[in-house]
């Protein structure tokens, strides 16, 4: 049975902006000013984005990639791929699709938080469309925009993002699949050599020249007329398939 709200970690770490230094829990005024500068400085965002894009391309280009596809025709670069799809992968491995599947008519859902501003620029420079929003802020607007883009393009989402819990498929992906009628394709990446950051998702940083095995699972479809109970069952099935693909 699929347990709701519990991924690899049952509790979400305290948000970095929920500090108790100030009366509103957002830190001192000086710290807030620093965050505002980071958010509003287009020059800084642009510089960091250019550097990050170059670094990702060079770094990820050293990896030895191998593919294990249950159905190769669900890969957007495959000649026999037909129709648009929703590709989902855990938040820990977001660097890999950025490098592997740019310029494939894919739009990526990213958080509205200021720390995703650089990632937004990097994703667009590497050939992805972007939609800003999440299940926490701007979710409804993001859902409508994603549904509109799904008419003519693919989508990709980290179903346990942007804040976890890790390895838990949020309800939003099931609602999006039901609304659009698009199949959900689970994707997983297995690295032979990597660092893990001390973040809620234990973010993976591949080490140079590591072997990367890419796994695509069988698609999950959620009918437009599915009941709430049926949608929940299929959400659990997707979560199970993704966990079964996750091998490290």
């Amino acid at each position: 049975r699929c347990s709701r709200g519990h991924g690899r970690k049952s509790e979400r770490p305290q948000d970095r902006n929920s500090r108790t230094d100030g009366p509103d829990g957002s830190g001192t005024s000086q710290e807030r000013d620093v965050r505002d500068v980071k958010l509003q400085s287009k020059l800084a965002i642009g510089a960091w984005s250019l550097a990050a894009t170059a670094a990702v391309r060079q770094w990820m280009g050293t990896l030895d990639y191998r593919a294990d596809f249950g159905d190769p025709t669900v890969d957007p670069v495959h000649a026999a791929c037909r129709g648009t799809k929703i590709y989902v992968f855990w938040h820990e491995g977001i660097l890999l699709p950025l490098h592997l599947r740019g310029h494939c008519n894919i739009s990526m859902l990213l958080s509205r938080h200021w720390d995703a501003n650089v990632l937004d620029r990097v994703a667009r420079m590497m050939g992805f469309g972007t939609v800003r929003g999440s299940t926490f802020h701007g979710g409804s607007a993001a859902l409508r925009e994603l549904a509109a883009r799904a008419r003519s393009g693919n989508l990709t989402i980290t179903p346990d993002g942007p804040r976890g819990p890790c390895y838990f498929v949020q309800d939003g992906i099931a609602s999006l699949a039901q609304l659009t009628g698009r199949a959900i394709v689970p994707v997983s990446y297995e690295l032979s050599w990597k660092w893990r950051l001390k973040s809620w998702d234990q973010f993976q940083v591949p080490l140079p020249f590591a072997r990367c095995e890419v796994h695509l699972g069988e698609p999950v479809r959620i009918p437009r007329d599915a009941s709430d109970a049926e949608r929940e069952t299929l959400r659990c099935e997707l979560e199970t398939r993704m966990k079964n693909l996750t091998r490290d």
Side-chain angles (χ1 to χ4, degrees):
R1 182 180 176 83
C2 178
S3 58
R4 293 187 57 81
H6 296 281
R8 185 171 60 196
K9 300 174 185 176
S10 60
E11 297 183 358
R12 190 173 68 209
Q14 186 180 22
D15 188 276
R16 71 184 68 179
N17 292 337
S18 62
R19 299 176 61 180
T20 57
D21 303 285
D24 61 352
S26 60
T28 66
S29 60
Q30 184 177 5
E31 289 171 334
R32 290 195 296 272
D33 290 342
V34 170
R35 289 198 294 269
D36 290 342
V37 169
K38 291 179 179 176
L39 176 63
Q40 297 173 5
S41 175
K42 294 182 179 180
L43 180 61
I45 292 171
W48 276 105
S49 301
L50 286 170
T53 300
V56 169
R57 284 175 172 157
Q58 293 296 320
W59 190 285
M60 305 300 288
T62 69
L63 272 59
D64 176 20
Y65 295 98
R66 304 178 186 184
D68 176 20
F69 297 168
D71 178 5
T73 63
V74 301
D75 187 345
V77 302
H78 197 283
C81 185
R82 296 291 182 271
T84 62
K85 297 171 178 62
I86 305 172
Y87 298 92
V88 293
F89 56 93
W90 299 126
H91 195 275
E92 65 181 7
I94 198 169
L95 289 178
L96 292 153
L98 280 175
H99 177 71
L100 292 173
R101 287 298 178 265
H103 304 285
C104 290
N105 192 23
I106 302 176
S107 292
M108 177 179 290
L109 178 65
L110 298 174
S111 168
R112 287 181 180 271
H113 199 264
W114 68 263
D115 59 6
N117 288 341
V118 170
L119 181 56
D120 175 78
R121 293 280 191 93
V122 171
R124 285 188 280 133
M125 284 189 283
M126 299 195 75
F128 286 83
T130 61
V131 175
R132 301 298 294 271
S134 72
T135 55
F136 294 96
H137 300 289
S140 297
L143 187 65
R144 290 193 296 270
E145 186 173 352
L146 287 167
R149 295 199 184 194
R151 299 189 187 105
S152 58
N154 300 296
L155 306 175
T156 187
I157 296 175
T158 56
D160 58 343
R163 299 181 181 181
C166 190
Y167 290 3
F168 172 71
V169 173
Q170 305 281 353
D171 294 333
I173 180 64
S175 298
L176 177 64
Q178 183 177 22
L179 178 65
T180 61
R182 300 304 189 263
I184 308 172
V185 180
V187 185
S188 179
Y189 304 92
E190 182 180 359
L191 294 163
S192 63
W193 198 22
K194 59 185 175 294
W195 287 313
R196 279 195 182 273
L197 304 185
K198 293 182 179 179
S199 54
W200 67 264
D201 59 350
Q202 295 189 25
F203 191 83
Q204 295 186 19
V205 179
L207 292 178
F209 308 106
R211 184 180 67 254
C212 176
E213 295 185 7
V214 184
H215 306 282
L216 267 67
E218 293 297 322
V220 174
R221 298 180 182 274
I222 301 180
R224 294 179 187 269
D225 60 352
S227 66
D228 290 348
E230 290 170 335
R231 185 175 64 244
E232 171 62 13
T233 297
L234 290 168
R235 184 199 68 79
C236 288
E237 181 180 336
L238 173 63
E239 184 175 295
T240 298
R241 290 189 188 187
M242 292 190 70
K243 287 179 177 177
N244 288 341
L245 280 179
T246 305
R247 303 175 185 179
D248 57 342

